[in-house]
């Protein structure tokens, strides 16, 4: 039995709010006066929030308070760092964003307003991205004289391609929510104000999956996508056999065959 969420999350900074809603946890970037700029306290808070995730939480929703998801790296902290500290800082983001991507439970990011720089890098580490129509995406690192440091150069080309990322970084080009949806930044596009409810509904749906399936999708699928074809087929066979050998799969398939499980219906 995990600790109560209140105990687990007692050390969070004021800029990150966490709450439990049944089988899911909702994390909120809560620094609206600074447009949810990501300072060290907030990023380390994400790590701590995931650390304190109760065992029976099966999915996470991440969203932002105020008019924007996140204005990216807190530029105030950047000015104090030397090169060595800059590397350490980037590696810290890598570790924590990797923890989001390759953690225990899927993460659904709800995006609205500015999704800029490190904010876009953070969103890219999530498994499902939902945009409200107000969302816009930018990588102003070029104009700030810096480079992405939160895994953006690894994750974003896989979502939108190297050419688009190059354009965003070299020219400051921004994309709107509908363009982001068309180019694959987000999987869902909803009206203003509807993102959190959609995110919660999706997370609740994810939470009903067999844990082993969610594990395979989070941890195995992206690895297969990076393998050559023959290795990919082999890995797929192994995880397919592991999943179907699990008691949960057997019970679920039996339920379907006994007409006790929901049929697939178009959305
Ligand atoms: C900030 C930050 C920030 C706002 N760091 N303080 N990111 C950027 O280059 C984006 C910079 N931000 C903006 O372009 C705009 O603030 C927004 C489009 C997001 C929002 O505009 P607006 O008019 O609603 O707000 P504002 O008046 O610009 O900002 C409100 C306050 O938030 C203000 O502080 P105040 O004390 O004057 O009230 C801003 O200074 C503050 N603020 N964004 C610090 N980013 C690991 S590498 C990742 C590299 C990056 O992420 S680079 C991209 C950085």
């Amino acid at each position: 039995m995990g600790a109560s969420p209140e105990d687990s999350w007692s050390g969070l900074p004021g800029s990150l709010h966490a709450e439990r809603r049944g089988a899911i946890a909702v994390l909120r970037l809560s620094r609206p006066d600074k447009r949810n700029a990501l300072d060290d306290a907030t990023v380390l808070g994400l790590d701590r929030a995931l650390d304190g995730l109760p065992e029976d939480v099966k999915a996470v929703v991440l969203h932002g308070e105020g008019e924007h998801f996140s204005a990216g790296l807190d530029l105030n902290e950047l000015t104090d760092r030397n090169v060595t500290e800059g590397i350490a800082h980037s590696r810290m983001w890598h570790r924590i964003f990797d923890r989001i991507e390759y953690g225990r439970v899927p993460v659904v990011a709800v995006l609205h307003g500015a999704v800029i720089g490190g904010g876009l890098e953070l969103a890219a580490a999530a498994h499902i991205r939902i945009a409200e129509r107000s969302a816009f995406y930018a990588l102003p690192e070029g104009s700030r004289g810096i480079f992405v440091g939160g895994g953006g150069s690894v994750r974003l080309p896989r979502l939108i391609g190297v050419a688009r990322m190059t354009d965003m970084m070299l020219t400051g080009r921004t994309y709107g929510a509908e363009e982001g949806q068309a180019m694959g930044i987000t999987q869902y596009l909803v009206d203003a104000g509807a993102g959190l409810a959609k995110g919660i509904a999706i997370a609740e749906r994810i939470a009903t999956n067999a844990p082993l399936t969610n594990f395979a999708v989070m941890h195995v699928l992206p690895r297969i996508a990076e393998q050559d074809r023959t290795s990919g087929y082999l890995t797929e066979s192994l995880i397919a056999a592991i999943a179907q050998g699990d008691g949960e799969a057997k019970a679920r398939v039996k339920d379907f065959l006994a007409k006790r499980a929901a049929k697939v219906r178009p959305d």
Side-chain angles (χ1 to χ4, degrees):
M1 175 104 168
S4 77
E6 290 73 18
D7 291 345
S8 320
W9 289 325
S10 59
L12 293 188
S15 55
L16 185 68
H17 180 266
E19 82 184 48
R20 173 84 185 262
R21 295 199 192 193
I24 69 168
V26 178
L27 303 183
R28 183 170 68 244
L29 303 172
S30 299
R31 215 184 162 209
D33 54 322
K34 296 291 177 188
R35 308 314 184 244
N36 296 323
L38 299 168
D39 58 0
D40 284 358
T42 308
V43 175
L44 289 165
L46 286 167
D47 195 26
R48 188 181 277 263
L50 294 174
D51 217 22
L53 212 59
E55 269 307 307
D56 52 350
V57 162
K58 307 285 189 219
V60 166
V61 176
L62 173 66
H63 73 126
E65 187 175 332
E67 298 301 306
H68 303 282
F69 175 71
S70 173
L73 175 72
D74 187 319
L75 295 167
N76 285 305
E77 292 187 350
L78 177 94
T79 52
D80 299 333
R81 279 195 290 268
N82 63 28
V83 170
T84 308
E85 289 163 345
I87 292 171
H89 178 269
S90 169
R91 300 302 286 165
M92 182 263 280
W93 278 42
H94 289 164
R95 178 178 66 75
I96 295 171
F97 290 8
D98 254 10
R99 184 169 196 183
I100 293 172
E101 185 173 3
Y102 296 115
R104 187 175 63 75
V105 300
V107 176
V108 178
V110 178
L111 311 176
H112 73 296
V115 184
I116 295 183
L120 182 54
E121 295 184 278
L122 172 59
H127 302 91
I128 303 281
R129 281 165 293 279
I130 298 167
E132 293 191 359
R133 288 186 194 280
S134 61
F136 64 98
Y137 311 100
L139 293 171
E141 281 83 348
S143 58
R144 309 270 182 251
I146 56 179
F147 194 72
V148 289
S153 57
V154 172
R155 292 192 181 91
L156 289 170
R158 290 177 164 85
L159 283 179
I160 63 173
V162 174
R164 280 203 191 92
M165 183 166 175
T166 301
D167 186 18
M168 290 174 82
M169 293 195 70
L170 288 181
T171 70
R173 180 173 184 170
T174 66
Y175 286 106
E178 277 163 37
E179 292 170 306
Q181 174 73 14
M183 70 171 73
I185 294 178
T186 51
Q187 292 105 321
Y188 297 87
L189 179 62
V190 298
D191 286 337
L196 183 58
K198 180 75 174 171
I200 289 172
I202 286 176
E204 284 173 343
R205 168 69 182 74
I206 289 170
T208 66
N209 293 337
L212 190 51
T213 304
N214 284 351
F215 169 82
V217 173
M218 288 174 68
H219 292 265
V220 186
L221 181 63
R223 266 71 179 226
I224 290 175
E226 287 170 8
Q227 288 176 339
D228 62 88
R229 290 174 73 93
T230 51
S231 306
Y233 288 140
L234 176 63
T235 311
E236 181 186 89
S237 297
L238 298 178
I239 190 65
I242 291 169
Q244 79 192 28
D246 192 50
E248 182 103 25
K250 297 206 182 306
R252 285 168 181 249
V253 171
K254 240 183 221 163
D255 279 350
F256 174 75
L257 296 174
K259 307 206 180 301
R260 288 191 299 264
K263 291 185 190 182
V264 176
R265 301 283 190 209
D267 282 334

